[in-house]
């Protein structure tokens, strides 16, 4: 039985489905999505529907909360936060649901967002969206950093971390960086799986980005799919 972790999908459901086709998924295998399933890309609703389909097929799919899901949830509680979410890709998410307002999104999807955990742990791995604030006695207590932190590698408290390896997304890096981090995984104990899939959708000067990345926790094999959305 294998577990596959997948980086930030950002509404790129066609790419997500193509990546899934590449994975040798078998009964009993599990998936961990590292957050930011929604926003920016064209089909956030479709991404959640793909998760629902996989679960129906019997695959346990853990969907971590990313800062983008948190922006959506914040807007639900406080309409003043709405603009920030909309301008960070929330418009595209509403569009994918064919609605103009957040409350137009069907309840089962809102319940899905509300239920997303901030982190997930296996025997060997700690999975988070962005990273950890190691200045805290228990870095898992600081939800803000789990969703937003960048450049935390120099602060890692290896006494606290023990033998666990951290898998995360949130900060797009080149495929080459991901491969180097994989080589150094036993020593450094961190691996970023975000190659900025949604960057392929907009004008940018980062041709080294634009793929969705998956990683098998047991075999340590990397899979990647160029954005087709
Ligand atoms: Mn993020």
């Amino acid at each position: 039985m294998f577990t596959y972790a997948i980086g930030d999908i950002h509404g790129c459901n066609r790419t997500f489905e193509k990546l899934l086709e590449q994975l040798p998924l078998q009964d009993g295998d599990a998936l961990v999505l590292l957050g930011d399933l929604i926003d920016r890309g064209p089909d956030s609703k479709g991404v959640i529907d793909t998760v629902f389909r996989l679960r129906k097929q019997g695959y346990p799919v853990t969907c971590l909360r990313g800062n983008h899901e948190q922006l959506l949830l914040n807007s639900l509680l406080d309409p003043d936060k709405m603009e920030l979410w909309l301008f960070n890709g929330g418009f595209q998410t509403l569009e994918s649901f064919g609605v103009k307002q957040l409350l137009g999104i069907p309840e089962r999807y809102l319940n899905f967002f509300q239920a997303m955990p901030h982190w997930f742990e296996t025997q060997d791995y700690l999975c988070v969206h962005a990273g950890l604030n190691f200045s805290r006695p228990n870095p898992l207590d600081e939800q803000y950093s789990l969703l937003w932190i960048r450049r935390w590698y120099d602060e890692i408290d290896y006494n606290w971390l023990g033998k666990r390896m951290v898998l995360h997304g949130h900060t797009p890096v080149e495929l080459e960086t991901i491969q180097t981090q994989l080589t150094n995984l036993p020593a450094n104990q961190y691996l970023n799986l975000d190659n900025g899939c949604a960057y392929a959708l907009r004008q940018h000067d980062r041709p080294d980005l634009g793929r969705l990345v998956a990683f098998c926790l047991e075999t340590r094999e990397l899979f990647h799919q160029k954005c087709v959305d």
Side-chain angles (χ1 to χ4, degrees):
M1 298 210 294
F2 297 115
T3 302
Y4 298 90
I6 297 179
D8 308 36
I9 301 170
H10 275 305
C12 295
N13 186 48
R14 288 185 58 193
T15 310
F16 180 31
E17 292 195 295
K18 264 200 111 156
L19 179 67
L20 289 169
E21 285 170 23
Q22 268 195 58
L23 304 181
L25 275 182
Q26 296 195 329
D27 287 353
D29 289 347
L31 291 160
V32 183
L33 310 186
L34 295 178
D36 284 1
L37 281 66
I38 61 163
D39 294 354
R40 297 199 172 122
D43 195 5
S44 292
K45 175 183 181 290
V47 173
I48 315 297
D49 286 335
T50 301
V51 171
F52 289 156
R53 171 176 61 78
L54 288 163
R55 287 178 176 171
K56 217 171 157 186
Q57 289 170 341
Y59 299 108
V61 187
T62 301
C63 299
L64 294 185
R65 181 181 301 221
N67 54 305
H68 281 264
E69 285 84 15
Q70 190 62 53
L71 288 174
L72 180 154
L73 291 166
N74 292 349
S75 310
L76 212 49
L77 294 171
D78 177 0
D80 288 347
K81 306 267 170 80
M82 185 70 77
E83 210 168 318
L84 179 66
W85 173 56
L86 291 176
F87 284 102
N88 278 286
F91 273 122
Q92 287 90 330
T93 295
L94 288 184
E95 237 169 48
S96 75
F97 282 94
V99 300
K100 293 220 153 43
Q101 288 177 25
L102 196 43
L103 286 171
I105 295 179
E107 210 180 339
R108 63 190 295 242
Y109 296 91
L110 295 178
N111 291 340
F112 170 88
F113 295 127
Q114 257 145 3
M116 293 170 99
H118 287 78
W119 53 278
F120 174 78
E121 193 176 21
T122 69
Q123 202 184 337
D124 299 319
Y125 292 92
L126 189 52
C127 304
V128 298
H129 174 61
L132 297 138
N133 178 356
F134 283 96
S135 70
R136 293 289 179 121
N138 181 356
L140 293 173
D141 285 344
E142 212 213 67
Q143 299 188 333
Y144 183 85
S145 293
L146 295 173
L147 300 176
W148 290 96
I149 201 171
R150 300 190 201 272
R151 292 178 288 276
W152 48 275
Y153 294 156
D154 289 342
E155 318 294 329
I156 295 176
D157 177 350
Y158 286 98
N159 285 324
W160 180 85
L161 190 59
K163 289 186 167 152
R164 293 174 294 183
M165 294 166 278
V166 182
L167 301 180
H168 74 96
H170 183 58
T171 303
V173 289
E174 302 169 28
L175 207 54
E176 211 184 306
T177 302
I178 297 175
Q179 271 146 356
T180 304
Q181 288 189 358
L182 177 58
T183 306
N184 297 325
L185 184 60
N188 293 341
Q189 297 174 238
Y190 56 76
L191 180 60
N192 183 347
L193 295 176
D194 184 13
N195 184 240
C197 184
Y199 273 72
L201 303 168
R202 54 184 199 194
Q203 294 283 347
H204 65 88
D205 52 5
R206 300 283 303 270
D208 47 315
L209 301 179
R211 296 176 204 81
L212 188 60
V213 176
F215 170 70
C216 179
L217 276 61
E218 292 79 14
T219 66
R220 299 192 188 178
E221 190 178 354
L222 275 183
F223 303 82
H224 49 87
Q225 172 62 51
K226 195 171 170 287
C227 185
V228 291
D229 281 82

